[in-house]
Amino acid sequence: MHDSSTRFDPPKCHPNTRVAVLEYILGWIFGRNDPEALILWLYGQAGTGKSAILQTIAERCAERQSILASFFFGRNDPSRNTFKPLIPTIACQIATAIPEIRPHLEGIIERDPFIFEKSIATQLQFLIIQPLKDLSTSGYFSNPEINPRLIIIDGLDECNDTKMQSMILRVIADALRTQKLPLIFLIASRPEQNIQLTFNSNSLAGLWKSLVLDYTYKPNDDIRTFLTDSFQEIKSTHPHRKYIPNDWPDEWNIDHLIKKSSGQFIYASVVIKYI
């Protein structure tokens, strides 16, 4: 979950950065951009800010009550680096957001206490698709501004089973296509080969759009904003700030750090962390 205590102080976008990316994603969520796409795949190399972007989107949508559920995989967290908690976590959040489905969900678990040990496809069918079926038929999800239908999955590549990474995508695609699951999925990952191949397979054809974090969105401008603001904060709050020159650091040093970052926010963030 985006506000889970296991992800205390998660990364999020620095103010006035990633503006175009955030605007596009929010436009897609509310049906203004590529409304035919039920899956938006945000991808980029390590350190390009995928998790920060999805965290920011999750927080903004939560403020507007426009998100149903989220799951953030974590490579080094045993509770988040496996597929097993994915569907139960999402189902629990949906039941919290939509109290009407709780009795249905409770009945399923009561009848089959081992549901959480079954395949991801079976879990999705019984814990999410079936409880939402009646609501979907009634048109509950027709207006995303009123009734949320967004599911966020971050760090798919950090699931420790590459076969399950692909399986998760296929199961979601099948639910969207054949079961008419009334949801949309924002998924972020590195562009690993198995994930790319799955997105390009027939099982996902026509269901998704992609958004790549490359130089199209001018990451160097955003990194400059982050560095400039961060250095200004250091000069204002550091215990020895009276010894820091007003012109520190000079433009050459900032330009050098931007060049060394190579479009990766993680580099600039680590530099600031250790100053």
Side-chain angles (χ1 to χ4, degrees), residues 27-238:
W28 170 75
I29 291 169
F30 295 109
R32 297 188 296 272
N33 299 327
D34 297 313
E36 74 285 355
L38 301 178
I39 301 173
L40 180 61
W41 179 33
L42 177 72
Y43 70 92
Q45 298 298 332
T48 51
K50 301 180 295 296
S51 292
I53 290 170
L54 262 62
Q55 178 68 29
T56 301
I57 290 291
E59 291 182 3
R60 291 190 183 182
C61 287
E63 290 174 358
R64 300 171 62 170
Q65 297 183 324
S66 300
I67 182 173
L68 269 182
S70 61
F71 189 89
F72 287 72
F73 282 101
R75 194 182 311 277
N76 298 318
D77 184 342
S79 68
R80 295 189 294 116
N81 65 3
T82 172
F83 73 93
K84 291 184 178 181
L86 175 64
I87 299 301
T89 301
I90 290 175
C92 180
Q93 291 175 77
I94 293 176
T96 300
I98 309 175
E100 295 93 323
I101 73 167
R102 290 181 193 173
H104 191 133
L105 198 58
E106 290 168 354
I108 290 171
I109 297 171
E110 185 175 336
R111 289 190 297 272
D112 186 1
F114 296 102
I115 185 67
F116 301 111
E117 301 300 321
K118 295 189 174 179
S119 72
I120 190 170
T122 299
Q123 289 185 40
L124 183 64
Q125 176 67 36
F126 286 97
L127 297 177
I128 296 179
I129 295 174
Q130 285 193 9
L132 292 179
K133 185 172 292 184
D134 290 341
L135 282 177
S136 177
T137 303
S138 70
Y140 180 88
F141 296 99
S142 60
N143 188 344
E145 293 279 0
I146 300 175
N147 295 314
R149 60 192 188 112
L150 172 66
I151 306 292
I152 290 177
I153 300 176
D154 179 55
L156 180 60
D157 58 289
E158 298 193 32
C159 175
N160 60 13
D161 186 332
T162 56
K163 291 182 179 179
M164 285 308 304
Q165 294 170 12
S166 298
M167 178 61 70
I168 289 167
L169 292 175
R170 292 194 182 97
V171 166
I172 289 173
D174 182 68
L176 292 170
R177 194 188 304 278
T178 66
Q179 302 286 343
K180 305 302 181 184
L181 185 64
L183 305 177
I184 58 174
F185 289 80
L186 173 58
I187 300 174
S189 75
R190 299 180 191 180
E192 304 293 6
Q193 184 180 42
N194 64 300
I195 295 176
Q196 291 189 62
L197 289 173
T198 305
F199 269 111
N200 290 323
S201 66
N202 290 335
S203 59
L204 273 85
L207 291 175
W208 62 283
K209 292 288 184 180
S210 64
L211 183 62
V212 57
L213 293 179
D214 58 14
Y215 282 95
T216 302
Y217 290 97
K218 301 180 179 179
N220 285 352
D221 291 348
D222 290 337
I223 291 172
R224 180 181 297 277
T225 298
F226 168 73
L227 287 172
T228 301
D229 290 351
S230 297
F231 282 124
Q232 186 58 48
E233 183 176 359
I234 290 171
K235 289 192 287 187
S236 300
T237 62
H238 196 279

Side-chain angles (χ1 to χ4, degrees), residues 244-264:
I244 301 176
N246 289 331
D247 59 353
W248 175 87
D250 59 29
E251 284 299 314
W252 184 91
N253 280 302
I254 291 179
D255 288 342
H256 181 68
L257 289 173
I258 292 170
K259 183 177 180 180
K260 294 284 287 184
S261 295
S262 301
Q264 296 183 324

